[in-house]
Every structure is written in structure tokens, then in C-alpha cells.
Amino acid sequence: MIILGCILAIIVGITLGLIGSGGTILTVPILVYIMGVDAALSTTYSLFAIGFTSFIGALRGIYRKEADLPKVLSFGVPSLIVVFITRSFILPLVPEVIHIAGYEFHQNVLLMILFSFVMIASSLSMIRSAKNGIELPAENTKTPIEVIVLQGALVGLVTGLVGAGGGFLIIPALVNFYRLPMRRAVATSLIIITINSFFGVMGDLEKFEFFDWKLLLGYTGGTVLGIFIGFYLADKIPNKSLKVAFGYMILLVGLYILVKETLLS
């Protein structure tokens, strides 16, 4: 199962290289259901693996001058502040057993249910955006600062709660609100994911003693290999078709997690 998980990690890296998102939203289910990692710990593993992989991709984007660094600052700062607050102060306050409407939920189960909702919502957004062709740059318009802050904070909250780097939220925001071409949006997204993931991991330093470094580094190596394959394929696969297919894949995984945690547990 460890070997299978590392093979799937390559696929995760490919999605990062191709569309600048989808890495962490697939990593958590792989770690939990394939590699047997605890759900709460898997979010930290996810932030580490995808953060490091995105860092490699970010360096490439900066070198090729595809990343929009001013957008990283205006969008990324609110995001990283919220993710650090969430991981450092909010999550530790969440009890092991949570009571909602008379029902008891273990923290890990609730985390996976929340993650399934995020996956389903992001998949529908990705499918809709691809079919509507939002990847095509439009005339530049000025975005209100409060919208920028809210978008960044939302990405930070998702990153902090479920260990997702937020690329599936960052890409639509950069394309829709900043009117960035898809290639520049991907490069910029990888930088923001790197920053969010780094601060998320820093908020979980106390978990380092429980890390299975052999498993984590094996998975991370797979994602790094995959992102270079993704970069190679990026110019060869139509982006619209890729985003629709990937969106449906995320939707199916999200529905599977929701059913498993609510009906099959």
C-alpha cells in the first residue's frame, strides 16, 4: 500500500504541474485510505509534501518569469495570516469528540466529512469554470481590496482546517478577479500554496515527533517527480479538457469519502 501511495503521489504531482491545484485535495484521502495515516496527522503530512513540491514549481515559475509576484503579496498575505491562526490557535481548541444536533462525531471523522464537502464544492467550481472558459484572460479590471482580503482569508481558512493548499480556490480567484492568463495563474498559485503550506506546517511543529519520515519523504519524492512530468505535459494537453476530467475525478472521490464516513462507518 505504501508503494501504491507513492505511485499515486506521482499523479498528484502531475496535477500540480498541469493546473496548479488539486495536490492536497487528493493527498489527504491517499494518506488516510491508502497509506493508513491518521486523519489529523495527514493534514500536516499533506502541507509538508505539497508545500515542498509547490516550492520546486514556484522556483521554476520565478525563473521563467511566469509568476506575478505583486499578486502573491496582495492575495497571499491575508491567506497566510489566517492559515497560521487556524493551525496554531483554532484547531487545538477543537475537542476529540464533537456534539452536533444530538450526534457525536470524532474529530477525525468530522475532518474527513468537512474535507469531502470542500472536494465536492471545488470539483463543481472547476467543472463549471472549465466549461465556461474562465481560463481565457479578459480585460483587466480593478478588484476592491475587501474582495481580495476575503478571497485570501477564505483560502487560508480552508488550508488551515483541512490541510489543503487551496489551489482549487486560488486559480479561479486569480483568473476571475485578476484576469491572469492560466499559465501565470498556475505559477502564482504555486507560490501562494508554498507560503500557506509552510505556515501551516509551522503551526504543527509539535507533531514532528510523530512523523513517519520514510513514508512522508517517499510520498514527497513522488509528488516532486510528478510535478516535472506535469510541466512537460502542460503544453500538450488542452487545459479545458483536463480541468473538466479532473473536476469529475475530485467529485467522485469527495462523494466516496462522504458516503464512507457517514453511511459505512
Side-chain angles (χ1 to χ4, degrees):
M1 298 303 285
I2 300 298
I3 295 175
L4 175 60
C6 291
I7 293 174
L8 292 175
I10 298 176
I11 298 175
V12 169
I14 291 174
T15 66
L16 272 176
L18 282 170
I19 57 176
S21 67
T24 47
I25 210 166
L26 291 176
T27 288
V28 170
I30 291 172
L31 290 172
V32 173
Y33 298 121
I34 303 297
M35 307 181 82
V37 178
D38 174 79
L41 188 60
S42 71
T43 64
T44 309
Y45 276 27
S46 174
L47 290 170
F48 180 94
I50 301 306
F52 183 82
T53 306
S54 297
F55 174 69
I56 300 298
L59 290 179
R60 176 181 179 273
I62 293 173
Y63 176 77
R64 293 165 61 100
K65 297 182 179 180
E66 293 175 350
D68 193 319
L69 298 181
K71 301 299 187 295
V72 172
L73 182 63
S74 61
F75 186 90
V77 170
S79 180
L80 71 88
I81 292 175
V82 173
V83 71
F84 186 73
I85 292 174
T86 302
R87 302 295 293 190
S88 300
F89 302 107
I90 297 178
L91 274 186
L93 297 178
V94 179
E96 287 294 321
V97 179
I98 303 167
H99 298 270
I100 300 177
Y103 294 93
E104 288 187 354
F105 294 90
H106 190 275
Q107 184 190 89
N108 286 350
V109 173
L110 194 61
L111 184 67
M112 294 308 296
I113 293 175
L114 175 61
F115 197 81
S116 71
F117 284 136
V118 173
M119 292 186 76
I120 292 170
S122 66
S123 67
L124 295 176
S125 173
M126 184 172 293
I127 293 168
R128 183 173 60 251
S129 66
K131 289 184 175 180
N132 292 339
I134 69 164
E135 73 274 12
L136 297 175
E139 185 179 351
N140 205 7
T141 56
K142 186 176 179 59
T143 304
I145 186 64
E146 60 270 18
V147 174
I148 297 173
V149 172
L150 182 60
Q151 287 277 341
L154 175 61
V155 170
L157 182 63
V158 172
T159 299
L161 285 176
V162 300
F168 55 92
L169 296 174
I170 295 170
I171 292 293
L174 292 177
V175 174
N176 282 332
F177 292 107
Y178 286 119
R179 305 298 191 265
L180 290 184
M182 192 64 191
R183 185 181 298 275
R184 288 179 64 79
V186 168
T188 306
S189 172
L190 290 174
I191 298 177
I192 297 174
I193 292 173
T194 300
I195 296 171
N196 285 350
S197 299
F198 173 78
F199 276 86
V201 170
M202 290 300 100
D204 282 350
L205 288 177
E206 73 282 354
K207 295 182 180 179
F208 273 37
E209 60 180 299
F210 304 109
F211 274 23
D212 182 340
W213 286 103
K214 183 178 179 180
L215 181 151
L216 179 57
L217 293 180
Y219 187 90
T220 304
T223 57
V224 170
L225 173 61
I227 198 171
F228 283 108
I229 298 175
F231 289 147
Y232 174 77
L233 296 174
D235 295 329
K236 301 179 180 298
I237 301 178
N239 185 72
K240 180 178 178 180
S241 300
L242 178 68
K243 288 184 70 176
V244 171
F246 185 65
Y248 279 115
M249 181 176 68
I250 293 179
L251 177 61
L252 291 175
V253 175
L255 290 173
Y256 168 77
I257 295 175
L258 182 61
V259 171
K260 183 179 186 302
E261 297 296 341
T262 57
L263 301 179
L264 304 180
S265 298

